[in-house]
Amino acid sequence: PILILLHDLKKARWTYNPFRNILAKRALSHCTVLSVSDALRNHIESRGYKNIRTLRNGIDLSFWKSEMAQEDARKTLELPIDQTIFLFAGRIGHDKGATALDRTLPEESSLIVAGEVPPGNFLRIIKQLHVFPHQSAKEMRLLYAACDAAIVPSVYLDPFPTICLEAMACSRPVIATSHGGAQEAVKDGETGWVVDPLKEESLKQQLLWCKQYREELSSFGIRA
């Protein structure tokens, strides 16, 4: 076992080294460490780190605002005019909730994906997808204008997804994960909803509600 440990340490070097944590904890004990959310701060503190302070991310509200009506944005992007459309942006993968979303997206609704879709993702809802990879900030504003609601269904401790702030600044409600800092940005039942995507039936019911009561989503967006 000792030889195996030494072999692994030599191979991994500092990318995965148990002694690194000891050195890091000792060095950081003399610093004030900033965390982007209370959820992340609590997680770090549970590992024995001290002097953690929360400083959440911010955005430029003068930039993040819709400059086009939803119907015009959909015509520009060649999206369905009358369907309920959700927006999923950023890194795509199981930990970000792609699997849960693939299983729960309602029929006769659409999903905008702003990002690269790795092979094997969204196989069930492939015909409902509208993929826009490599979007600039200006192009993202158009996607926010086109959607009815943004969704952040991460199943891991997502520190503080900025998409929540950007979507709400563009008057779009957010369906946010209960894992991580997203729930600190969204007021459940007022500016969006906080759900546990690991409880897929709850996520499914929330998406179905948004589809059934699409006309009410704009009031949530205004409050956002």
Side-chain angles (χ1 to χ4, degrees):
I2 294 177
L3 291 177
I4 294 175
L5 175 61
L6 292 174
H7 175 268
D8 290 344
L9 289 175
K10 182 179 179 180
K11 182 179 179 181
R13 297 179 68 82
W14 288 107
T15 59
Y16 187 75
N17 190 312
F19 299 112
R20 177 184 63 179
N21 293 340
I22 298 174
L23 297 174
K25 188 176 296 184
R26 178 175 298 178
L28 293 175
S29 66
H30 303 289
C31 307
T32 297
V33 179
L34 297 180
S35 165
V36 294
S37 65
D38 289 338
L40 181 60
R41 175 176 56 79
N42 293 336
H43 178 76
I44 296 172
E45 289 178 337
S46 72
R47 291 336 191 238
Y49 291 88
K50 305 297 182 182
N51 304 322
I52 313 296
R53 299 291 182 270
T54 299
L55 180 63
R56 295 181 179 86
N57 293 329
I59 61 171
D60 183 356
L61 292 176
S62 67
F63 177 85
W64 290 106
K65 55 186 177 181
S66 298
E67 296 182 337
M68 186 179 294
Q70 185 181 78
E71 183 174 346
D72 294 333
R74 292 188 177 191
K75 288 179 179 178
T76 300
L77 297 169
E78 299 182 349
L79 297 172
I81 299 297
D82 298 323
Q83 277 191 356
T84 304
I85 300 181
F86 301 96
L87 170 65
F88 181 42
R91 179 172 58 83
I92 311 301
H94 172 76
D95 60 335
K96 284 288 190 175
T99 303
L101 193 49
D102 184 42
R103 293 172 177 167
T104 57
L105 187 73
E107 296 181 359
E108 298 180 2
S109 65
S110 293
L111 179 67
I112 295 173
V113 178
E116 294 279 358
V117 178
N121 285 271
F122 301 126
L123 297 181
R124 186 187 73 86
I125 60 172
I126 189 68
K127 295 182 179 180
Q128 296 169 260
L129 290 187
H130 303 274
V131 181
F132 298 87
H134 310 299
Q135 296 294 284
S136 66
K138 185 175 181 179
E139 290 169 327
M140 283 300 302
R141 288 191 306 190
L142 186 60
L143 297 184
Y144 286 127
C147 77
D148 291 296
I151 180 167
V152 183
S154 303
V155 298
Y156 80 111
L157 197 160
D158 203 344
F160 193 76
T162 312
I163 183 177
C164 295
L165 304 183
E166 295 172 357
M168 291 192 296
C170 293
S171 300
R172 294 296 179 263
V174 178
I175 303 170
T177 177
S178 60
H179 300 281
Q183 59 188 316
E184 298 171 29
V186 176
K187 292 185 177 181
D188 187 36
E190 294 185 35
T191 65
W193 304 269
V194 177
V195 299
D196 185 350
L198 291 174
K199 299 177 180 178
E200 293 184 1
E201 184 59 31
S202 297
L203 176 60
K204 181 179 181 180
Q205 290 303 315
Q206 187 59 65
L207 294 175
L208 284 171
W209 186 93
C210 289
K211 176 189 173 186
Q212 183 177 358
Y213 297 99
R214 181 190 172 202
E215 67 280 359
E216 296 188 21
L217 297 181
S218 59
S219 63
F220 286 86
I222 292 172
R223 288 195 293 270

